[in-house]
């Protein structure tokens, strides 16, 4: 299974994914690149910036990606 397939499955199963989740769960250190690949295959994926606190209580910003309703591509290339 490719990283794109794993990321797509995660989006379908859990609704969203962040870089930290992609690194921890799938060893994917370039989530943005995999999202780009999935978008090029026709999947409608959106990203929103969220404000979170790190372990030191400092404000940080992360990006959370979501698969839009339907979750299918125009090409149906994966899954």
């Amino acid at each position: 299974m490719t990283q794109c397939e794993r990321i797509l499955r995660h989006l379908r199963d859990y609704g969203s994914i962040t870089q930290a989740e992609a690194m921890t769960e799938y060893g994917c250190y370039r989530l943005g690149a995999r999202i780009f690949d999935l978008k090029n295959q026709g999947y409608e994926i959106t990203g929103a910036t969220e404000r979170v606190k790190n372990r030191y209580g400092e404000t940080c910003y992360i990006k959370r990606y979501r698969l839009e309703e339907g979750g299918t591509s125009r090409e149906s290339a994966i899954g």
Side-chain angles (χ1 to χ4, degrees):
M1 183 175 278
T2 67
Q3 283 185 343
C4 282
E5 290 168 333
R6 289 183 182 103
I7 299 302
L8 182 59
R9 184 184 63 199
H10 185 99
L11 288 168
R12 286 181 172 154
D13 290 349
Y14 300 102
S16 67
I17 193 166
T18 65
Q19 177 63 53
E21 292 167 336
M23 284 189 323
T24 302
E25 298 296 320
Y26 310 111
C28 178
Y29 288 85
R30 297 189 62 219
L31 178 60
R34 300 299 70 82
I35 296 297
F36 179 83
D37 293 342
L38 289 168
K39 285 182 175 183
N40 278 343
Q41 292 174 21
Y43 290 95
E44 294 184 47
I45 299 172
T46 59
T49 302
E50 296 179 3
R51 187 170 60 182
V52 297
K53 298 278 186 181
N54 67 14
R55 64 177 137 186
Y56 305 108
E58 302 163 334
T59 300
C60 298
Y61 296 89
I62 63 167
K63 190 140 193 188
R64 181 174 300 278
Y65 295 96
R66 297 184 191 283
L67 184 62
E68 290 301 307
E69 291 204 23
T72 59
S73 75
R74 292 183 296 271
E75 300 172 9
S76 294
I78 295 179

